[in-house]
Amino acid sequence: MKKFIRQTAVLPGFGLALGYTVFYLSLIVLLPLSAVIIKTASLSWETFWAAVTAPRVLASYRITFGAAFLSALTNGVFGLLTAWVLVRYRLPGKRIIDALVDLPFALPTAVAGITLAAIYAPNGWIGRYLEPQGLKVAYTPLGIIVAMTFIGLPFVVRTVQPIIEDLEGELEEAAACLGATRWQTFRRVILPVLLPALLTGFALAFARAVGEYGSIIFIAGNMPMVSEITPLLIITKLEQYDYAGATAIATVMLGTAFLVLFFINLLQWWSRRYAEK
Amino acid sequence: MKSWETTGGGKKKSPPKGLTEPAAVRWALTCTVLLFLGFFLLLPLAAVFSQAMEKGMAAYLAAVREPEAVAAIRLTLVTAAISVPLNLFFGVAAAWAIAKFDFPGKSLLLTLIDLPFSVSPVISGLIFVLLFGLQGWLGPWLASRDIQILFAVPGIVLATIFVTFPFVARELIPLMQSQGKEEEEAAIVLGAGGFATFFRVTLPNIKWGLLYGVILCNARAMGEFGAVSVVSGHIRGATNTIPLHVEILYNEYNYAAAFAVASLLALLALVTLAVKSFAEWRGRTG
């Protein structure tokens, strides 16, 4: 193998570049991450199981994963709409709107957190109109969904947008010529092409929402069993010097994150195969 | 030009029925999207600045110039000044190896580089507590030598490097892969050295993507909250970054000051978005 590379590569620096990449990756990412796995392995199964299935922990999974699912669903619908409108329709200030979509990437989570909490608080810009309707957003699970929707917003738009840009107009023309209504064309021709990207965006938004901390804790209210997210529970355990408990819960979250990552890779493989057909 | 514009009867510019949505649907969809983005993006952005200015300019300046705020700003700048160049250097090295050469295990390497993106910020902090904490692997050894990493600046820098690890590499790898390696090979064959080839041939081709990666990396480095919060120890004036300072002010119900300091980060976000749009536009037009 080595000989093969030496014979074909004209460019210098392969060994150095790859060597440094692997070294830096191991030092900064792999070594520290392995600390979680080794720490978990040192726990007995009973301790681990008790830590990850305590009622308060189970309630936090329900809240975190449930809210993340609902927010990713919201983003799936509105992200698809946003990408569609940005690519297909003429509207003034499109460039600025397009740039603004990335705001949740660029705005630090703590800033997003206090701002959303201020807006949706009972005396806030939106909260004061929702409160009389009996709709409480800040300091309830609904607030968690709002914060997760905010931070997940760019993922769906940015994964679906390039696919819409590349859509071949001929397919839609053919469908229209064959007598399809616009809705039939969308459902039968456009949506199947967009589906892998849409699901990837959904999964990315979901994964980000599950791990999110900064933008949620200010608006969540953080009531145990009601509005306490799993990342906050890890911090609480750490503050009580319960490193074993914190690590056990972290392992569950890491496992979920890797599952989602695997799912995304599968989707991309699927969409590549779809594109080749 | 779209095909319908040439074949149309010349009466209307709009595409024939069936090729786009009816005007009413287009209008409704556009309004829905604008309303959604207005509520979720524009309103929070406006709220940061409006809340920051609530008690007037004098209070704003006082909050930003307060010694603890200044210390937080300084620590944030130091953290970014260390972590961004390190990840920039790594990003360039990784992109060079991955985009210009073929080797087995490439897709595994790509997945591993992306790993910090899928790890919750809180867990990113936790791993350094497990490594350097008193109950951790290196904790007792470090304590016996009086080296403080956790709840001190080195811990904050390490957590920040971890969190911002993939940004530059992730931006550069697809860009350099799409550009191929013919230009560099030509330079080498014509007798240019490795570094001359990189600085004269590769760098001009990737500079806008590089700028974009660096600016995103920097925004995250300065704004990271969860991971830094776990390792910082929240010592006022010593281990508080800007986001942590915002949290403390907010939890003390000092809202105007919290939003004043937060508005600095919001400004940074706006600059980031502006540079990003500019870099994308230059990257497209060349």
Side-chain angles (χ1 to χ4, degrees), chain B residues 67-92:
Chain B
E68 280 163 10
V70 173
I73 293 169
R74 189 179 305 134
L75 179 59
T76 297
L77 291 177
V78 167
T79 308
I82 300 172
S83 48
V84 174
L86 280 174
N87 285 337
L88 166 65
F89 187 71
F90 159 76
V92 172

Side-chain angles (χ1 to χ4, degrees), chain B residues 199-215:
Chain B
F199 283 106
R200 297 260 186 101
V201 179
T202 311
L203 199 57
N205 278 335
I206 60 168
K207 62 185 176 206
W208 298 113
L210 194 72
L211 177 69
Y212 177 26
V214 167
I215 193 96

Side-chain angles (χ1 to χ4, degrees), chain A residues 56-57 224 228 232-246 249, chain B residues 129 135 151:
Chain A
R56 192 171 159 189
V57 182
E228 187 178 48
L232 177 66
L233 206 54
I234 295 178
I235 293 216
T236 312
K237 298 252 176 209
L238 275 178
E239 277 167 359
Q240 297 161 349
Y241 298 102
D242 179 9
Y243 287 14
I249 301 171
Chain B
V129 174
Q135 304 177 31
F151 312 129

Side-chain angles (χ1 to χ4, degrees), chain A residues 99-123:
Chain A
L100 205 62
V101 166
D102 277 332
L103 181 73
F105 277 155
L107 193 69
T109 54
V111 179
I114 63 170
T115 310
L116 290 173
I119 292 178
Y120 289 95
N123 59 352

Side-chain angles (χ1 to χ4, degrees), chain B:
Chain B
M1 198 188 274
K2 294 265 157 62
S3 52
W4 61 69
E5 286 175 38
T6 55
T7 54
K11 255 196 266 170
K12 276 186 199 166
K13 271 273 179 188
S14 68
K17 220 174 135 193
L19 270 185
T20 185
E21 294 75 45
V25 175
R26 278 204 309 260
W27 191 81
L29 288 183
T30 311
C31 284
T32 311
V33 165
L34 289 181
L35 213 63
F36 177 74
L37 295 183
F39 268 104
F40 270 90
L41 297 179
L42 216 52
L43 206 62
L45 196 59
V48 180
F49 293 106
S50 136
Q51 301 267 353
M53 287 298 171
E54 207 174 25
K55 292 197 175 153
M57 196 67 197
Y60 180 88
L61 287 176
V64 175
R65 281 194 198 142
E66 182 209 11
E68 280 163 10
V70 173
I73 293 169
R74 189 179 305 134
L75 179 59
T76 297
L77 291 177
V78 167
T79 308
I82 300 172
S83 48
V84 174
L86 280 174
N87 285 337
L88 166 65
F89 187 71
F90 159 76
V92 172
W96 182 262
I98 290 172
K100 305 290 178 191
F101 301 91
D102 283 315
F103 55 93
K106 195 191 259 189
S107 58
L108 176 69
L109 188 62
L110 276 169
T111 309
L112 290 179
I113 288 175
D114 268 352
L115 214 51
F117 274 151
S118 33
V119 175
S120 166
V122 169
I123 298 177
S124 310
L126 167 77
I127 57 178
F128 291 102
V129 174
L130 291 180
L131 271 183
F132 299 116
L134 269 182
Q135 304 177 31
W137 286 354
L138 300 172
W141 186 87
L142 289 168
S144 68
R145 276 157 192 75
D146 237 11
I147 304 171
Q148 185 87 22
I149 290 189
L150 210 57
F151 312 129
V153 178
I156 294 175
V157 173
L158 273 174
T160 306
I161 293 176
F162 179 92
V163 174
T164 57
F165 180 84
F167 280 92
V168 180
R170 216 204 161 121
E171 206 52 51
L172 285 187
I173 291 168
L175 180 65
M176 281 169 69
Q177 272 177 334
S178 72
Q179 286 172 348
K181 53 187 177 184
E182 285 81 11
E183 290 184 34
E184 282 87 356
E185 281 174 348
I188 295 285
V189 170
L190 290 172
F195 282 100
T197 305
F198 177 77
F199 283 106
R200 297 260 186 101
V201 179
T202 311
L203 199 57
N205 278 335
I206 60 168
K207 62 185 176 206
W208 298 113
L210 194 72
L211 177 69
Y212 177 26
V214 167
I215 193 96
L216 273 182
C217 183
N218 179 64
R220 185 70 195 268
M222 291 191 168
E224 177 52 30
F225 176 70
V228 170
S229 162
V230 173
V231 297
S232 115
H234 304 271
I235 305 161
R236 283 188 149 204
T239 64
N240 266 343
T241 59
I242 304 179
L244 298 178
H245 189 62
V246 169
E247 183 197 21
I248 289 184
L249 290 171
Y250 186 85
N251 286 341
E252 286 172 346
Y253 304 103
N254 195 350
Y255 293 139
F259 278 101
V261 180
S263 72
L264 297 178
L265 292 171
L267 271 179
L268 173 76
L270 287 182
V271 171
T272 305
L273 291 185
V275 174
K276 176 194 173 269
S277 303
F278 179 74
E280 262 179 2
W281 172 68
R282 285 306 303 260
R284 261 204 301 271
T285 56

Side-chain angles (χ1 to χ4, degrees), chain A residues 160-194:
Chain A
V160 174
Q161 201 174 13
I163 312 289
I164 298 182
E165 276 165 4
D166 289 348
L167 276 182
E168 288 161 50
E170 286 82 3
L171 287 178
E172 287 166 55
E173 282 171 28
C177 288
L178 292 171
T181 63
R182 190 59 189 161
W183 172 244
Q184 282 171 329
T185 310
F186 177 76
R187 214 168 57 86
R188 299 281 182 82
V189 178
I190 300 173
L191 201 57
V193 182
L194 295 184

